[in-house]
Coordinates of all heavy atoms in Angstrom, one line a residue:
L1 N -10.1 -11.5 3.6 CA -8.7 -11.1 3.3 C -8.4 -11.5 1.8 O -8.9 -12.5 1.3 CB -7.7 -11.9 4.1 CG -7.5 -11.4 5.6 CD1 -6.8 -12.5 6.4 CD2 -6.8 -10.1 5.6
Y2 N -7.7 -10.7 1.1 CA -7.2 -11.0 -0.2 C -6.0 -11.9 -0.2 O -5.2 -11.8 0.7 CB -6.8 -9.7 -1.0 CG -8.0 -8.9 -1.4 CD1 -8.0 -7.5 -1.5 CD2 -9.2 -9.5 -1.8 CE1 -9.1 -6.8 -1.9 CE2 -10.3 -8.8 -2.3 CZ -10.2 -7.4 -2.3 OH -11.3 -6.7 -2.7
Y3 N -5.9 -12.8 -1.1 CA -4.7 -13.6 -1.3 C -4.6 -14.8 -0.3 O -5.0 -14.6 0.9 CB -3.4 -12.9 -1.3 CG -3.5 -11.6 -2.2 CD1 -3.3 -10.3 -1.6 CD2 -3.7 -11.7 -3.5 CE1 -3.4 -9.2 -2.3 CE2 -3.7 -10.5 -4.3 CZ -3.6 -9.3 -3.7 OH -3.7 -8.2 -4.5
R4 N -4.2 -15.9 -0.8 CA -4.0 -17.1 0.1 C -2.9 -16.7 1.2 O -3.1 -17.2 2.3 CB -3.5 -18.3 -0.7 CG -4.5 -18.9 -1.7 CD -4.0 -20.2 -2.3 NE -4.9 -20.7 -3.2 CZ -4.9 -20.5 -4.5 NH1 -3.9 -19.7 -5.0 NH2 -5.7 -21.0 -5.4
E5 N -1.9 -16.0 0.8 CA -0.9 -15.5 1.7 C -1.2 -14.0 1.9 O -0.7 -13.2 1.1 CB 0.5 -15.8 1.2 CG 1.6 -15.3 2.2 CD 1.5 -16.0 3.5 OE1 1.1 -17.2 3.6 OE2 1.9 -15.4 4.6
P6 N -1.9 -13.6 2.9 CA -2.3 -12.2 3.0 C -1.2 -11.3 3.1 O -0.1 -11.6 3.6 CB -3.1 -12.2 4.3 CG -3.6 -13.6 4.6 CD -2.5 -14.4 4.0
V7 N -1.3 -10.1 2.6 CA -0.3 -9.0 2.6 C -0.6 -8.2 3.9 O -1.7 -7.8 4.2 CB -0.4 -8.2 1.4 CG1 0.7 -7.1 1.4 CG2 -0.2 -9.0 0.1
M8 N 0.5 -7.9 4.6 CA 0.4 -7.1 5.8 C 1.1 -5.8 5.5 O 2.3 -5.7 5.3 CB 1.1 -7.8 7.0 CG 1.1 -7.0 8.3 SD 1.6 -8.1 9.6 CE 2.1 -6.9 10.9
L9 N 0.3 -4.7 5.4 CA 0.8 -3.4 5.1 C 1.0 -2.6 6.3 O 0.0 -2.4 7.1 CB -0.1 -2.7 4.1 CG -0.3 -3.5 2.8 CD1 -1.3 -2.7 1.9 CD2 1.0 -3.7 2.0
V10 N 2.2 -2.0 6.5 CA 2.5 -1.3 7.8 C 2.9 0.2 7.5 O 3.0 0.9 8.5 CB 3.6 -2.0 8.6 CG1 3.1 -3.4 9.0 CG2 4.9 -2.1 7.8
E11 N 3.1 0.6 6.3 CA 3.5 1.9 6.0 C 3.0 2.3 4.6 O 3.0 1.4 3.7 CB 5.0 2.1 6.1 CG 5.5 3.5 5.9 CD 7.0 3.6 6.0 OE1 7.7 2.6 6.2 OE2 7.5 4.8 5.9
G12 N 2.7 3.6 4.4 CA 2.3 4.0 3.1 C 2.8 5.5 2.8 O 2.8 6.3 3.8
K13 N 3.3 5.7 1.7 CA 3.7 7.1 1.3 C 3.4 7.3 -0.2 O 4.0 6.6 -1.0 CB 5.2 7.3 1.6 CG 5.6 8.8 1.4 CD 7.0 9.0 1.8 CE 7.4 10.5 1.6 NZ 8.8 10.7 2.1
M14 N 2.5 8.2 -0.4 CA 2.0 8.5 -1.8 C 1.6 7.2 -2.5 O 0.7 6.6 -2.1 CB 3.1 9.3 -2.5 CG 3.4 10.7 -1.9 SD 2.0 11.7 -1.6 CE 1.6 12.2 -3.3
Q15 N 2.2 6.9 -3.6 CA 1.7 5.7 -4.4 C 2.3 4.4 -4.0 O 2.0 3.4 -4.5 CB 2.1 5.9 -5.9 CG 3.5 5.8 -6.3 CD 4.3 7.1 -6.2 OE1 4.0 8.0 -5.3 NE2 5.2 7.4 -7.2
Y16 N 3.1 4.4 -2.9 CA 3.8 3.2 -2.5 C 3.3 2.8 -1.1 O 2.9 3.6 -0.2 CB 5.3 3.4 -2.4 CG 5.9 3.7 -3.7 CD1 6.5 4.9 -4.0 CD2 6.0 2.7 -4.8 CE1 7.0 5.2 -5.3 CE2 6.5 2.9 -6.0 CZ 7.1 4.2 -6.2 OH 7.6 4.5 -7.5
V17 N 3.3 1.4 -0.8 CA 3.1 0.9 0.5 C 4.2 -0.2 0.8 O 4.8 -0.7 -0.2 CB 1.7 0.2 0.6 CG1 0.6 1.3 0.6 CG2 1.4 -0.8 -0.5
W18 N 4.4 -0.4 2.0 CA 5.4 -1.4 2.5 C 4.9 -2.4 3.4 O 4.0 -2.1 4.2 CB 6.6 -0.7 3.2 CG 7.5 0.1 2.3 CD1 8.7 -0.2 1.8 CD2 7.3 1.5 1.8 NE1 9.3 0.8 1.1 CE2 8.4 1.9 1.0 CE3 6.2 2.4 2.0 CZ2 8.5 3.1 0.4 CZ3 6.3 3.6 1.3 CH2 7.4 4.0 0.6
D19 N 5.3 -3.7 3.3 CA 4.9 -4.7 4.2 C 5.9 -4.8 5.4 O 6.8 -4.0 5.5 CB 4.7 -6.0 3.5 CG 6.0 -6.7 3.0 OD1 7.1 -6.2 3.4 OD2 6.0 -7.6 2.2
E20 N 5.6 -5.7 6.3 CA 6.4 -5.7 7.5 C 7.9 -6.1 7.3 O 8.8 -5.9 8.1 CB 5.8 -6.7 8.5 CG 6.0 -8.2 8.3 CD 5.2 -8.8 7.1 OE1 4.5 -8.0 6.5 OE2 5.4 -10.0 6.8
T21 N 8.2 -6.7 6.1 CA 9.6 -7.1 5.8 C 10.3 -5.9 5.1 O 11.5 -6.1 4.9 CB 9.6 -8.3 4.9 OG1 9.1 -7.9 3.6 CG2 8.8 -9.4 5.4
G22 N 9.6 -4.8 4.8 CA 10.3 -3.7 4.1 C 10.1 -3.8 2.6 O 10.6 -2.9 1.9
K23 N 9.4 -4.8 2.1 CA 9.1 -4.9 0.7 C 8.2 -3.8 0.2 O 7.1 -3.6 0.8 CB 8.6 -6.3 0.4 CG 8.4 -6.5 -1.1 CD 7.9 -7.9 -1.4 CE 7.7 -8.2 -2.9 NZ 7.2 -9.6 -3.1
R24 N 8.5 -3.1 -0.9 CA 7.7 -2.0 -1.4 C 6.8 -2.5 -2.5 O 7.2 -3.3 -3.4 CB 8.6 -0.9 -1.9 CG 7.9 0.4 -2.2 CD 8.8 1.4 -2.8 NE 9.3 1.1 -4.1 CZ 10.0 2.0 -4.9 NH1 10.3 3.2 -4.4 NH2 10.4 1.6 -6.1
Y25 N 5.6 -2.0 -2.5 CA 4.6 -2.3 -3.5 C 4.1 -1.0 -4.2 O 4.0 0.0 -3.5 CB 3.4 -3.0 -3.0 CG 3.7 -4.3 -2.3 CD1 4.1 -4.3 -1.0 CD2 3.4 -5.5 -2.9 CE1 4.4 -5.5 -0.3 CE2 3.7 -6.7 -2.3 CZ 4.1 -6.7 -1.0 OH 4.4 -7.9 -0.3
L26 N 3.9 -1.0 -5.5 CA 3.2 0.1 -6.1 C 1.7 -0.1 -5.9 O 1.1 -1.2 -6.3 CB 3.5 0.1 -7.6 CG 2.7 1.2 -8.4 CD1 3.0 2.6 -8.0 CD2 3.0 1.0 -9.9
D27 N 1.0 0.8 -5.3 CA -0.4 0.6 -4.9 C -1.3 1.0 -6.1 O -1.6 2.2 -6.3 CB -0.8 1.4 -3.7 CG -2.2 1.1 -3.2 OD1 -2.9 0.3 -3.8 OD2 -2.6 1.8 -2.2
C28 N -1.8 0.0 -6.9 CA -2.7 0.3 -8.0 C -4.1 0.1 -7.5 O -5.0 0.2 -8.3 CB -2.4 -0.7 -9.1 SG -0.8 -0.4 -9.9
F29 N -4.4 -0.1 -6.2 CA -5.7 -0.4 -5.7 C -6.2 0.8 -4.9 O -7.4 1.0 -4.8 CB -5.6 -1.7 -4.9 CG -6.9 -2.4 -4.7 CD1 -7.7 -2.6 -5.8 CD2 -7.4 -2.8 -3.5 CE1 -9.0 -3.3 -5.7 CE2 -8.6 -3.4 -3.4 CZ -9.4 -3.7 -4.5
G30 N -5.3 1.5 -4.2 CA -5.7 2.7 -3.5 C -6.7 2.4 -2.4 O -7.5 3.2 -2.1
G31 N -6.5 1.2 -1.7 CA -7.5 1.0 -0.6 C -8.9 1.0 -1.1 O -9.8 1.6 -0.4
I32 N -9.2 0.4 -2.2 CA -10.5 0.4 -2.9 C -10.8 1.9 -3.2 O -11.9 2.4 -2.8 CB -11.6 -0.2 -2.1 CG1 -11.1 -1.5 -1.5 CG2 -12.8 -0.5 -3.0 CD1 -12.2 -2.2 -0.6
V33 N -9.9 2.5 -3.9 CA -10.1 3.9 -4.4 C -10.3 5.0 -3.3 O -10.7 6.1 -3.6 CB -11.2 4.1 -5.5 CG1 -10.9 3.1 -6.6 CG2 -12.6 4.0 -4.9
T34 N -10.0 4.6 -2.0 CA -10.2 5.6 -1.0 C -9.0 6.6 -0.9 O -9.2 7.8 -0.5 CB -10.3 5.0 0.4 OG1 -9.1 4.2 0.7 CG2 -11.5 4.0 0.4
V35 N -7.8 6.2 -1.3 CA -6.6 7.0 -1.2 C -6.5 7.8 -2.5 O -5.7 7.4 -3.4 CB -5.4 6.2 -0.8 CG1 -4.2 7.1 -0.5 CG2 -5.7 5.3 0.4
S36 N -7.2 8.9 -2.6 CA -7.3 9.5 -3.9 C -6.2 10.4 -4.3 O -5.9 10.7 -5.5 CB -8.6 10.3 -4.0 OG -8.7 11.2 -2.8
V37 N -5.4 10.9 -3.3 CA -4.2 11.7 -3.6 C -2.9 11.2 -3.1 O -1.9 11.9 -3.0 CB -4.5 13.2 -3.1 CG1 -5.7 13.8 -3.7 CG2 -4.6 13.2 -1.5
G38 N -2.9 9.9 -2.6 CA -1.7 9.3 -2.2 C -1.7 9.1 -0.7 O -2.2 9.9 0.1
H39 N -1.0 8.0 -0.3 CA -0.9 7.7 1.2 C -0.2 8.8 1.9 O 0.9 9.2 1.5 CB -0.2 6.3 1.3 CG -1.0 5.1 0.9 ND1 -1.9 4.5 1.6 CD2 -0.9 4.5 -0.3 CE1 -2.4 3.5 0.9 NE2 -1.8 3.5 -0.3
C40 N -0.7 9.2 3.0 CA -0.1 10.1 3.9 C 0.4 11.4 3.1 O 1.6 11.8 3.4 CB 1.1 9.5 4.6 SG 0.6 8.0 5.6
H41 N -0.4 11.9 2.2 CA 0.0 13.1 1.5 C 0.4 14.2 2.5 O -0.4 14.5 3.4 CB -1.1 13.5 0.6 CG -0.7 14.6 -0.4 ND1 -0.4 15.9 0.0 CD2 -0.6 14.6 -1.7 CE1 -0.1 16.7 -1.0 NE2 -0.2 15.9 -2.1
P42 N 1.6 14.8 2.4 CA 2.0 15.7 3.5 C 1.1 16.9 3.7 O 0.9 17.3 4.8 CB 3.4 16.1 3.0 CG 3.4 15.8 1.5 CD 2.6 14.6 1.3
R43 N 0.4 17.4 2.6 CA -0.4 18.5 2.8 C -1.7 18.1 3.5 O -2.2 18.9 4.4 CB -0.8 19.1 1.4 CG -1.6 20.3 1.4 CD -1.7 20.9 0.1 NE -2.7 22.1 0.0 CZ -2.9 22.7 -1.1 NH1 -2.3 22.4 -2.2 NH2 -3.8 23.7 -1.1

C-alpha cells in the first residue's frame, strides 16, 4: 500500500478520483499509467 495512511479510492472520472469521504484528487499517477485516456472515459 502507498502512504502511511492509505488512500481509499471509490470513484473515478477522467483525470479525477474521489475517496470515500468525497474528497477529490487530481490523478497524476494514472494507476501506474494504465488509465491512458481517463477514468471511465464515456466512449
Side-chain angles (χ1 to χ4, degrees):
L1 280 169
Y2 285 145
Y3 313 115
R4 292 189 183 92
E5 181 61 33
V7 179
M8 180 168 159
L9 302 177
V10 297
E11 184 181 2
K13 186 174 182 180
M14 299 305 289
Q15 71 269 39
Y16 297 112
V17 290
W18 286 261
D19 67 16
E20 79 286 358
T21 69
K23 183 177 181 179
R24 188 181 74 172
Y25 300 81
L26 175 63
D27 186 1
C28 292
F29 203 49
I32 318 179
V33 307
T34 59
V35 187
S36 49
V37 300
H39 292 276
C40 303
H41 190 290
R43 186 169 172 182

